[in-house]
């Protein structure tokens, strides 16, 4: 199987990986499954080391062509669907998680996804809550509850295997268009929303994160389109204008 | 998910592994998916090394409790279903291969498998033809045709993930009993069959392997039961008796 036949271009994004063996293994897996691109956010090891190369074998071209980013939001700026992996032990309790299987079935529903990003967090503590909120959905690979923690590269292998079962051709007539606001667009919109809510006193700086998290989760869960988000932004702009021009209304 | 809930007890069997990191990673995966037992045939590295332990983490108990065998046939002697993995690059051309997905669907058809063995070959050259013939079925994990070769531990991770989706409970009414002659029983029967066919001149020592391979493949593909194999053995015994007692008939 071959991810180039799927209804998306797959970008594998590692966030702050520490293990050169892991990075090399992931590069090899990228070539095994014909991934489109490997991206790394702030690597915490030498990704050009001999150890990495030894594990990468023919996948070395994914290291050579790898783009390195300083922040996750930059790494996903051109991605229209972003999925984050989350091990059970790292999962914030209140987080709704899907299984890899369900996620894979869900992706099949769309005609074309264009750039699909899958985020993999740090070996020891996964992705932060803030990073998880940049994803449309969060999912987990189900493992034994007493020893749930998969090694990073093994998690990648399982995800690539499951996604490689998806092909463009199956049931094309039943498919719908993917029409979500991109995670980057949502992040940008929330900067405006946060400012307004701080200004009106609905949010206080020290409780901002907790309150805004719930709102962001709602936006993701509702599979909000760009058009719907633009309506929300229009309202924000109008309220902002009204607040600044109280004398005129 | 949890392999203890499946309709089989899973024995992971590594044949002559060379990489201590691989052995350690496989042990960790055994604990991640609650495998029943890890068995190793003639390890070509120190499986108790620090490297192995570092990768195994909590899976170290699978190394400590691991049984080591001198030959593959001993390692599968108590297994009633034996499946062998085969990478595309190692696959003998004439070999019929199933995909992991098909194999997993097929296993769901049985009420109870008892001891299921999955064989993983050497890192560099997989399993020999003779070893493949000890398995009821041979399967592959589908990968990109230009870079098909998965690292050993990543192949294990994908197989465990797919098999862990099988549970005892689904559609119990539709299931049938697994009633194959065990691979060990087939091997033993073939020793008798080979002797007879050599004696009668049907087989010559230098062409024995090729001819007998075809016959063995047929026995596996036909999902022969112990009872059916016993009929064949009865015939062999009778012919042997007749050959040795030509004067009496």
């Amino acid at each position: 199987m071959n991810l180039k036949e799927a209804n998306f271009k797959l970008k594998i994004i590692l966030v702050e990986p520490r293990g050169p063996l892991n990075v090399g293994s992931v590069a090899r897996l990228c070539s095994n499954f014909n991934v489109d691109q490997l991206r790394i956010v702030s690597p915490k090891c030498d990704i050009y080391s001999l150890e990495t190369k030894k594990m990468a074998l023919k996948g070395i071209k994914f290291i050579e062509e790898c783009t390195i980013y300083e922040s996750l939001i930059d790494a996903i700026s051109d991605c229209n669907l972003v999925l984050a992996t989350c091990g059970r032990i790292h999962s914030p309790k209140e987080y709704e998680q899907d299984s890899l299987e369900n996620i894979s079935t869900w992706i099949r529903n769309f005609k074309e996804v264009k750039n699909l990003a899958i985020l993999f967090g740090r070996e020891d503590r996964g992705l932060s809550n803030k990073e998880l909120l940049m994803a449309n959905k969060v999912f987990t690979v189900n493992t034994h509850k007493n020893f749930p923690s998969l090694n990073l590269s093994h998690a990648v292998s399982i995800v690539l295997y499951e996604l490689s079962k998806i092909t463009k051709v199956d049931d094309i007539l039943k498919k719908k268009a993917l029409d979500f606001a991109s995670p980057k667009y949502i992040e940008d919109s929330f900067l405006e929303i946060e400012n307004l809510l701080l200004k009106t006193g609905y949010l206080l700086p020290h409780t901002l994160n907790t309150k805004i998290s719930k709102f962001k989760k709602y936006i993701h869960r509702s599979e909000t389109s760009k058009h719907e988000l633009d309506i929300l932004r229009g309202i924000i702009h109008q309220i902002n204008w009204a607040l600044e021009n109280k004398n005129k209304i």
Side-chain angles (χ1 to χ4, degrees), chain A:
Chain A
M1 277 179 242
N2 187 332
L3 282 164
K4 285 274 155 54
E5 287 160 21
N7 58 348
F8 49 77
K9 283 193 174 183
L10 188 59
K11 318 287 181 182
I12 290 295
I13 303 185
L14 304 181
V15 177
E16 299 190 359
R18 280 195 182 278
L21 298 176
N22 276 337
V23 175
S25 294
V26 170
R28 177 170 173 179
L29 287 162
C30 286
S31 76
N32 289 147
F33 289 98
N34 213 357
V35 161
D36 189 60
Q37 206 185 10
L38 176 63
R39 298 177 177 186
I40 305 185
V41 179
S42 304
K44 299 298 176 200
C45 60
D46 177 7
I47 66 163
Y48 306 109
S49 66
L50 191 64
E51 275 175 297
T52 306
K53 282 177 190 159
K54 266 190 189 165
M55 296 307 282
L57 299 180
K58 287 180 182 169
I60 192 67
K61 81 177 180 88
F62 283 89
I63 301 288
E64 287 159 1
E65 295 168 6
C66 164
T67 321
I68 295 181
Y69 296 85
E70 282 191 14
S71 73
L72 178 55
I73 192 72
D74 294 338
I76 61 171
S77 64
D78 63 342
C79 297
N80 43 334
L81 186 61
V82 177
L83 306 173
T85 54
C86 186
R88 276 197 218 177
I89 50 169
H90 302 127
S91 164
K93 270 180 206 148
E94 82 282 8
Y95 232 96
E96 258 188 74
Q97 271 184 45
D98 250 311
S99 73
L100 169 58
E101 235 182 317
N102 286 347
I103 283 284
S104 173
T105 308
W106 179 75
I107 294 174
R108 279 168 214 250
N109 290 327
F110 300 108
K111 272 204 193 77
E112 204 195 350
V113 179
K114 288 183 193 152
N115 287 339
L116 167 62
I118 313 268
L119 317 182
F120 293 88
R122 299 152 191 87
E123 285 94 335
D124 53 350
R125 57 201 165 86
L127 295 162
S128 70
N129 283 0
K130 199 178 161 212
E131 288 159 347
L132 289 173
L133 280 170
M134 291 182 196
N136 296 89
K137 283 187 189 287
V138 175
F139 71 96
T140 191
V141 176
N142 287 326
T143 46
H144 182 31
K145 64 179 191 307
N146 296 349
F147 306 103
S149 168
L150 285 167
N151 165 283
L152 171 60
S153 70
H154 295 101
V156 173
S157 72
I158 291 169
V159 170
L160 292 181
Y161 164 75
E162 188 64 87
L163 293 182
S164 75
K165 294 181 189 169
I166 303 174
T167 57
K168 274 177 192 159
V169 289
D170 47 36
D171 280 335
I172 190 85
L173 287 176
K174 286 190 207 148
K175 289 177 189 290
K176 54 188 179 185
L178 177 81
D179 184 34
F180 306 162
S182 77
K184 165 77 173 149
Y185 198 76
I186 293 174
E187 285 294 310
D188 291 345
S189 308
F190 266 84
L191 291 180
E192 290 179 2
I193 295 173
E194 284 170 26
N195 280 336
L196 174 70
L197 296 181
L198 282 167
K199 202 188 287 177
T200 59
Y202 174 79
L203 289 178
L204 300 170
H206 67 280
T207 57
L208 182 147
N209 280 336
T210 321
K211 286 206 171 179
I212 215 74
S213 290
K214 287 183 188 156
F215 194 11
K216 264 192 202 171
K217 277 181 202 165
Y218 164 76
I219 293 288
H220 283 307
R221 187 177 54 67
S222 317
E223 303 183 357
T224 309
S225 72
K226 182 173 174 300
H227 178 68
E228 288 161 343
L229 199 58
D230 281 340
I231 295 172
L232 202 61
R233 289 182 90 162
I235 297 171
I236 303 289
H237 292 167
Q238 188 57 35
I239 300 173
N240 260 328
W241 180 88
L243 287 172
E244 281 161 20
N245 299 278
K246 277 183 201 149
N247 51 338
K248 293 185 194 163
I249 49 174

